[in-house]
Amino acid sequence: MTRPRAPKRTDKQSEKRTDKRTDEDLPLREDIRLLGRLLGDTIRDDAGQAMFELVEQIRRTAVRFRRDQDADSMTTLEATISALDAAQATSVVRAFSYFHHLANIAEDLHQRRRRQASSRDSVLPDEESLAAALARLRAAGVSPKRVIARLERARVEPVLTAHPTEVQRKSILERHHAIAGRLAAQRGDDAAFENDLRRDISILWKTSELRPAKPTVADEIENGLGYFRSTFLDVIPRIYAGLEDALGRNVELAPFLRVGSWIGGDRDGNPYVRHDVTEQAATRQAAVIFEHYLTEIHALGSDLSLSSRYVGIPPELEALADQSPDRATSRSEEPFRRALTGVYARLAATEASLVGTTGGPRAAIAPAKPYATAAEFLADLNVVDQALVAAKLEFVRGGRLRHLRRSVSVFGFHLAPLDLRQHSEVHGRVVREIFARATGKDLYDGLDELARQEILLTEIATARPLMSPHLTYSAETAEHLATMSTAKRLHDRFGPESVPSHVISMTAGPSDVLEVALLAKEVGLLVPGAEPRLALNIVPLFETIEDLRGCGAIMDRLLSLPPYRQLVESRGDLQEVMLGYSDSNKDGGFLTSNWELYKAEQSLVETARRHDVTLRLFHGRGGTVGRGGGPAYHAVLAQPPGSVNGQLRLTEQGEVIASKYADAVVGTVNLETLVAATLEASLLPGAELGGDEPRFQAALEELSALAFAAYRNLVYETPGFIRYFREATPINEISDLNIGSRPSARRSSDRVEDLRAIPWVFSWGQSRSSIPGFFGFGSAVMAFLAGGTRAKGGASRHDREQLLKGMYRRWPFFRTVVDKLDMVLAKTDMGIALRYAGLVTERKLRDAIFGRIEREHDDTRKAFFLITGAKTLLESNPSLARSLRNRIPYIDPVNHLQVDLLRRLRAARGDTSELRRAIHLTINGVAAGLRNSG
C-alpha cells in the first residue's frame, strides 16, 4: 500500500505556482546584490580601493579556474595568493567570509518570506508540514481520535547539545539577527533603511569573528537558553494550539512535544562538566522559565480586567481571589486580577525558594506560600480558565492563558529535561573502586561479563549501601557520585523530569547498564524492594559497528533479567536506547553505518516486542551527512516499521541549532516537521515499502560488506593514513579553535579511534574531500555490479542495475541513503582537495591516498547517477543548487587561501600568531559558505 499524499493541486493552483516560479527568487537576488554592494562599500571605506580590487581579482580568477580548470588560472591564483602578506590575507578572507554570512541571512529570510506567502495565498501546504501530514492521515482514514490516542504516550524531543561545531561567535550571530530584522522590515527604497543597513554591516565588519578564548560550559548553557527565549517558549505552545484546533473542538493534547538538553549534563570526555556545573545548568534553566511565567502572569493580569458586575464568578475563582494578598479597593470588583496577583506572589515565592532569586517584571505584592509542584501552579491557572469558560468567554481564554497553561504542562519548573551522559569506562572504574573500598579487595575487576551481572544484580536488590561517608574515594569516583547525588537533589527541587535520563556512551554489555543502576541505588535514585522503583531512564548508547550488531542481544539479555525488567516496569514499561551515528560512521564508513543502524533498529524493535516494552529510540545525529545529518522528515519516514511508534528523540548541535531555531518562524517549521514525520511514521500504513523484501536486504548486506572493506582498508589499514589526514586537512588548527569547552579527542593519541567524530568530519569537509560522507559507496556499487562477492554465474550486470534502481524507487530507507550523497557530492571538489593533498610532504603517500579518494569519488558519482537516473547533482533540489552556484565562487578562494596559509604556517619559524589567526578565519569562512561543519 502506498503512502497517501496530500490532495492534488488544482490546475488553477498549479498555474499560480508556475507563474510565481519565474520571479520567486528575484527578492533573494536583490537582497544579495544589495548586501554585496554595501559590503563592498564597507571594504573600500576601511581597506581602500586597492583591497577591494584585489578581492575582485581573486574572485574572478577562482571563477575562471572552476569553469575552465585551466592551468593558467591556477598559476595566476596561486601567484596572487602567495604574494599576500598576512594582513592582506586576513582582509581577503574576511571579505569572502562576510559575503557568505550576508548571503546566508538573505537566503534564510527568503525561505521565511516564501513560507509566509504560501500561507497567505492559501497554497496547499508543503509536503513536510504538519498541515500536509494531517491531510494525508485523513486521506488514509486515520481519525482525529486515533491521532489523539497516539499522542497520549508519544514523545517528540529534539535535544540541544554543546557539541563544538558552531564556529560563529554569539556576537556575530546577534549581528546577523539584527541585519535579518532590518531586511525583513524593509519598506520600499527608503534611504534611511539603506543607511541603517550599511551601519549594521560596518559594525559586523569591525566585530571580531573569532573567540579570544574557549567558551566555558557556563557560556554554552547561556547560549542554549537563548533559543528558549527567542523561539521555544513562544513557538511550542502555538504548535500545540494549532494541532489541537486542527484535530477538533475542545481538544487538549498530552504534553508530547518538548525540547531537551545535554548542555551542562554531558560529561563524556569533557572534564569541565562537573556536578556543580550540572546544578548550575538546571538552576539557570529554572530561572528562565520562572521569569517567563512571571512576565506572562503580569501581562495576563493586565488583560483580564473583567468586572464582577458583568461576569459571573464561580466559587472556585472567588476562593482563589480571596486567598490573594491583594486588598486594593480599586480591584475589589476585579476577581480575575486579584486571583492572578495571588498567583504571581506564590510563583515569585516559589522561584525564590528553588532558584534563590526573583526575575519577574515587578516585586510580589506580599509574601506568599510557594507552590510545591508545577501541577499546583497549573491547577490555579485552570481555575481561571474554567471561570472564563463559565462566563462564555472562550475567545478570551484562547490567547495568552491557553499558551501559558500549555507552557506549564511542557516546561514545568525545570524548562528542559537535562540528560546526564558519561562513558561506560568511567562507570566501570567507579564501581570497581566502590567494591574494592567496601570489601578491602578487588572483587570486580577480574570478573567476566556474566559474573559482573550477577554481583551487580545482587547489590541492586539490597537496601544495604556500598558507599560509606567514612571512606575516602578517588577524585573521579567522588565526582561521579557527586553527580548522581546532584541528580537526586534536582529531582527533589524541580521534579523528576528535570534530570530524566542517564546516557551511557560506548555501551558494550549488560553490565554497563547495571553499573549505572547500582550507582543510582547508592544515591536514592533507585529504591530496591519487592517492587523496586527507578527514578530516571538508564539509556545505553551503542556507537561502534560491533556494538550496533550486538545491541539487540544485549537488550534481550537485560530485559530477560527479572530484576532489570522490574526496573523498566517502574518506568512505565519504557526502554530508551540511543544510537550513535557519528562514531559508527567513523568506525565503518557511510554505507555500513547507515545499514547497521537500520538493522540495529529492526533488532531492537523485535526485542522490545518480545518483552512487551515500549521502545524509544534516541538518534545521535550530527549536522553533516558523515554524522547522520540530512533532511529529518524523510529520515524519520525511512526508519524500519515499528521503530518510531510515537517516540522520537534526536540530538541537535552546533550550527544546526542556530540554523533551525534562531528564528521563530523557521523554528516553527522545523518542530512541526518532526511532529509531522513522527505521526506519519507511526500511523500511516505502508510507510516503509520494500524494506521487508529479502532480495533488497540481501543486496544491501552485500553492498555494505564491500563498502566496509574499502573504508576500513583506507582509514585503518593503510600505513601512513593518519599522517596524510593530519597534513592534508586543517585538523590541528581546528583543534585550536575556540568553538567549544570540550577537548577534540577523548585521549591524546594518533589513532583514528581516539579522535572525536566532530573534528574528523569537520576537517574533511574543510578540505572539500568529505570522505566520511561517501567513501566506500562507489567502489561497493561497482564491485556489486561486477558480481560482488557471489560466485560466477549469478545475476547479470543488467539485473543488478535494475535491482539497485528498484531499491531506490521502492525502499525509502535506501532512497534516503542515496539522496544524502547528492548534497555531499555537490559540496565535494576534487580539484580543491588536490590542493590540500599537495600539503602532504611525502609524495608517494600523497599520490597513493589521494588517488584512492579521487577514484572513489568518481565511482560514487557514477553510482549515484546510475541508481537515481539524475543527469546533474541536486537535480531534485533546485533551491540548494542555485544557492551553491551563487556561493561556490566565494568559497573556492577561501579554500585556496587556506591551503597557502597552511603551507606558510608549516614552514614558518618564530611568531606564527597572525598566520594562525588568518587560518582560523578561513575555517570560519568555509564553514559559513558550506553551511555545515560537524
Side-chain angles (χ1 to χ4, degrees):
M1 185 180 223
T2 58
R3 185 164 65 91
R5 298 187 178 276
K8 291 184 178 179
R9 303 182 190 279
T10 64
D11 291 340
K12 194 170 185 179
Q13 288 168 326
S14 298
E15 184 180 336
K16 187 174 185 181
R17 206 62 178 296
T18 302
D19 290 340
K20 292 180 74 174
R21 275 202 194 99
T22 59
D23 65 349
E24 66 181 9
D25 287 334
L26 180 61
L28 171 62
R29 292 195 299 273
E30 289 177 342
D31 282 346
I32 290 178
R33 192 178 298 117
L34 171 63
L35 294 171
R37 175 169 60 80
L38 295 178
L39 176 62
D41 291 345
T42 300
I43 294 170
R44 282 194 194 92
D45 293 343
D46 182 66
Q49 180 68 24
M51 177 55 66
F52 175 80
E53 291 176 356
L54 177 62
V55 170
E56 276 297 292
Q57 176 193 345
I58 291 172
R59 183 187 67 83
R60 287 193 297 268
T61 308
V63 169
R64 190 164 60 250
F65 172 67
R66 169 163 286 279
R67 184 186 63 226
D68 303 330
Q69 295 290 306
D70 65 296
D72 290 343
S73 295
M74 176 51 66
T75 300
T76 301
L77 187 63
E78 287 180 336
T80 303
I81 288 174
S82 62
L84 300 176
D85 60 31
Q88 289 175 315
T90 297
S91 293
V92 171
V93 170
R94 295 184 76 233
F96 285 111
S97 297
Y98 276 127
F99 178 82
H100 297 148
H101 295 321
L102 296 174
N104 291 346
I105 293 168
E107 286 184 1
D108 291 343
L109 178 61
H110 184 59
Q111 292 298 321
R112 177 175 176 175
R113 285 170 175 159
R114 287 179 61 184
R115 290 187 184 105
Q116 291 172 329
S118 175
S119 176
R120 282 195 309 269
D121 297 344
S122 299
V123 176
L124 287 179
D126 291 336
E127 178 195 13
E128 300 178 10
S129 69
L130 189 50
L134 292 175
R136 283 189 287 270
L137 289 167
R138 285 194 299 271
V142 179
S143 68
K145 188 175 181 180
R146 278 190 64 198
V147 175
I148 294 167
R150 167 58 66 194
L151 294 176
E152 279 294 319
R153 293 195 65 189
R155 184 90 166 202
V156 179
E157 187 176 313
V159 179
L160 309 186
T161 79
H163 290 174
T165 66
E166 174 55 85
V167 296
Q168 308 302 338
R169 289 181 63 209
K170 189 169 183 283
S171 297
I172 296 292
L173 294 174
E174 288 172 347
R175 189 52 46 191
H176 288 183
H177 189 68
I179 293 171
R182 191 87 66 193
L183 277 176
Q186 179 182 2
R187 296 289 183 270
D189 296 324
D190 187 355
F193 155 74
E194 188 165 311
N195 286 336
D196 288 341
L197 198 55
R198 187 190 301 272
R199 192 177 302 111
D200 285 330
I201 292 173
S202 295
I203 293 171
L204 181 65
W205 178 256
K206 288 296 188 180
T207 299
S208 176
E209 308 90 332
L210 302 175
R211 298 180 182 93
K214 282 185 177 293
T216 65
V217 183
D219 294 330
E220 293 169 338
I221 291 167
E222 294 305 316
N223 289 343
L225 291 174
Y227 295 102
F228 284 88
R229 293 189 181 100
S230 67
T231 299
F232 300 130
L233 290 175
D234 179 62
V235 162
I236 287 179
R238 293 182 185 278
I239 290 175
Y240 276 99
L243 181 55
E244 287 168 347
D245 291 345
L247 290 172
R249 188 175 175 83
N250 297 323
V251 171
E252 191 156 318
L253 296 170
F256 69 93
L257 173 63
R258 292 176 170 85
V259 175
S261 178
W262 275 12
I263 307 175
D266 177 14
R267 60 232 324 114
D268 178 15
N270 191 338
Y272 307 111
V273 180
R274 298 174 58 83
H275 70 279
D276 55 326
V277 171
T278 299
E279 188 149 16
Q280 177 189 358
T283 303
R284 287 295 303 131
Q285 288 184 180
V288 168
I289 195 56
F290 275 108
E291 181 180 6
H292 176 72
Y293 290 156
L294 289 167
T295 301
E296 291 300 298
I297 290 290
H298 181 63
L300 192 60
S302 297
D303 290 345
L304 296 184
S305 55
L306 307 175
S307 171
S308 56
R309 288 179 179 272
Y310 307 115
V311 178
I313 306 302
E316 294 83 3
L317 182 68
E318 192 68 55
L320 188 61
D322 289 344
Q323 294 166 15
S324 171
D326 188 352
R327 298 290 182 261
T329 56
S330 60
R331 283 185 287 279
S332 61
E333 295 181 358
E334 295 176 342
F336 284 91
R337 278 184 166 172
R338 285 192 291 117
L340 289 167
T341 301
V343 170
Y344 187 100
R346 291 195 68 184
L347 195 62
T350 309
E351 181 185 24
S353 67
L354 294 180
V355 178
T357 58
T358 54
R362 67 173 187 179
I365 196 168
K369 178 185 177 183
Y371 288 110
T373 64
E376 273 191 17
F377 172 40
L378 182 58
D380 280 355
L381 293 179
N382 289 340
V383 168
V384 178
D385 178 69
Q386 289 306 302
L388 292 172
V389 172
K392 298 182 179 179
L393 293 172
E394 292 282 346
F395 192 72
V396 176
R397 70 185 284 255
R400 191 185 302 274
L401 178 59
R402 182 185 191 182
H403 296 329
L404 178 56
R405 290 173 57 242
R406 173 54 69 187
S407 293
V408 178
S409 73
V410 171
F411 301 117
F413 285 160
H414 62 282
L415 181 68
L418 179 64
D419 289 354
L420 304 179
R421 182 171 78 130
Q422 183 56 281
H423 199 287
S424 60
E425 289 182 358
V426 174
H427 300 142
R429 291 194 295 268
V430 169
V431 168
R432 181 173 68 239
E433 182 177 348
I434 289 173
F435 274 121
R437 300 292 288 143
T439 63
K441 50 189 176 181
D442 196 348
L443 289 176
Y444 191 71
D445 197 33
L447 300 178
D448 62 21
E449 175 62 27
L450 288 177
R452 286 191 175 197
Q453 293 173 30
E454 184 177 347
I455 192 173
L456 289 166
L457 289 169
T458 299
E459 290 300 330
I460 289 168
T462 179
R464 183 198 70 240
L466 280 172
M467 284 170 26
S468 169
H470 306 296
L471 295 175
T472 302
Y473 298 96
S474 69
E476 180 179 62
T477 295
E479 169 57 30
H480 192 73
L481 293 173
T483 295
M484 300 296 286
S485 296
T486 297
K488 176 63 168 67
R489 193 161 57 250
L490 293 174
H491 278 210
D492 295 339
R493 283 174 68 190
F494 302 118
E497 274 296 309
S498 60
V499 184
S501 301
H502 192 308
V503 179
I504 308 165
S505 298
M506 293 293 176
T507 301
S511 64
D512 292 333
V513 176
L514 297 176
E515 285 169 351
V516 175
L518 173 62
L519 296 171
K521 188 210 79 170
E522 291 298 306
V523 299
L525 289 169
L526 189 162
V527 179
E531 294 183 358
R533 300 189 311 278
L534 180 62
L536 81 175
N537 299 318
I538 301 177
V539 184
L541 167 53
F542 300 102
E543 299 178 81
T544 67
I545 298 299
E546 180 181 357
D547 291 341
L548 287 173
R549 288 170 175 169
C551 67
I554 291 172
M555 295 312 301
D556 184 60
R557 168 64 180 170
L558 269 170
L559 293 169
S560 298
L561 298 170
Y564 183 77
R565 183 64 183 82
Q566 284 183 296
L567 296 179
V568 173
E569 184 178 357
S570 76
R571 300 298 299 162
D573 280 324
L574 184 141
Q575 174 67 60
E576 186 171 311
V577 176
M578 187 171 183
L579 300 175
Y581 286 63
S582 51
D583 277 292
S584 61
N585 182 293
K586 182 162 67 73
D587 187 32
F590 167 71
L591 183 60
T592 298
S593 169
N594 277 275
W595 179 226
E596 293 299 338
L597 284 161
Y598 185 91
K599 290 194 299 179
E601 291 183 42
Q602 287 182 314
S603 175
L604 291 168
V605 167
E606 174 57 26
T607 299
R609 185 199 61 76
R610 204 162 48 245
H611 291 278
D612 195 26
V613 301
T614 298
L615 173 69
R616 178 189 295 149
L617 289 175
F618 185 3
H619 302 271
R621 289 159 50 100
T624 58
V625 168
R627 295 191 58 243
Y633 175 78
H634 292 290
V636 174
L637 292 182
Q639 301 302 303
S643 62
V644 178
N645 200 26
Q647 306 288 331
L648 177 68
R649 296 186 86 211
L650 73 163
T651 52
E652 304 275 34
Q653 47 74 44
E655 79 288 350
V656 172
I657 299 176
S659 66
K660 284 187 175 183
Y661 303 119
D663 178 83
V665 173
V666 176
T668 300
V669 171
N670 283 296
L671 289 171
E672 284 195 358
T673 295
L674 293 178
V675 176
T678 302
L679 285 174
E680 291 189 64
S682 303
L683 291 170
L684 280 182
E688 171 56 3
L689 297 170
D692 292 331
E693 286 202 29
R695 65 193 186 115
F696 284 3
Q697 297 217 12
L700 196 43
E701 188 70 35
E702 186 175 349
L703 285 165
S704 175
L706 293 164
F708 181 75
Y711 175 84
R712 293 288 299 189
N713 181 260
L714 174 74
V715 174
Y716 290 91
E717 299 165 9
T718 300
F721 177 81
I722 194 69
R723 177 182 172 188
Y724 177 94
F725 168 61
R726 292 201 173 278
E727 293 187 16
T729 75
I731 174 61
N732 294 327
E733 292 68 29
I734 286 171
S735 300
D736 290 338
L737 269 176
N738 295 319
I739 60 175
S741 65
R742 191 174 71 174
S744 62
R746 283 194 168 97
R747 56 178 64 90
S748 178
S749 82
D750 240 358
R751 302 192 320 150
V752 175
E753 294 91 330
D754 293 330
L755 185 69
R756 287 195 176 277
I758 290 170
W760 166 258
V761 173
F762 200 165
S763 301
W764 289 114
Q766 284 280 311
S767 69
R768 307 285 286 280
S769 304
S770 303
I771 71 165
F774 74 85
F775 198 92
F777 184 87
S779 56
V781 170
M782 295 306 150
F784 178 82
L785 293 175
T789 57
R790 296 183 181 178
K792 292 182 178 179
S796 68
R797 180 185 178 92
H798 176 268
D799 290 341
R800 290 190 161 215
E801 281 187 16
Q802 294 307 307
L803 176 60
L804 293 177
K805 292 176 180 178
M807 291 165 64
Y808 181 76
R809 286 193 308 270
R810 298 176 52 201
W811 191 3
F813 165 72
F814 186 67
R815 182 165 61 248
T816 299
V817 169
V818 174
D819 285 346
K820 287 180 182 181
L821 293 168
D822 203 3
M823 183 177 69
V824 172
L825 294 173
K827 294 184 178 183
T828 301
D829 188 291
M830 285 296 110
I832 301 288
L834 177 60
R835 296 215 63 214
Y836 282 86
L839 295 169
V840 178
T841 52
E842 185 182 329
R843 181 170 183 173
K844 185 177 179 182
L845 178 67
R846 176 182 70 221
D847 292 347
I849 293 181
F850 181 77
R852 291 180 63 181
I853 294 172
E854 188 173 36
R855 285 192 298 275
E856 185 66 40
H857 175 261
D858 291 344
D859 284 345
T860 300
R861 283 177 60 94
K862 292 174 188 174
F864 173 80
F865 290 129
L866 182 148
I867 292 169
T868 65
K871 303 301 181 187
T872 60
L873 294 174
L874 299 178
E875 196 174 280
S876 62
N877 193 344
S879 62
L880 179 56
R882 287 192 299 270
S883 173
L884 282 177
R885 277 199 304 272
N886 290 335
R887 64 180 64 236
I888 284 294
Y890 295 86
I891 301 173
D892 288 354
V894 183
N895 279 121
H896 291 301
L897 272 161
Q898 188 178 98
V899 171
D900 186 76
L901 291 167
L902 286 169
R903 183 176 285 112
R904 293 191 212 181
L905 177 66
R906 293 170 187 181
R909 298 290 183 269
D911 184 11
T912 59
S913 57
E914 189 64 31
L915 276 173
R916 289 184 182 279
R917 175 175 173 77
I919 291 169
H920 289 162
L921 289 172
T922 65
I923 294 170
N924 185 306
V926 173
L930 294 176
R931 300 212 74 175
N932 55 24
S933 43

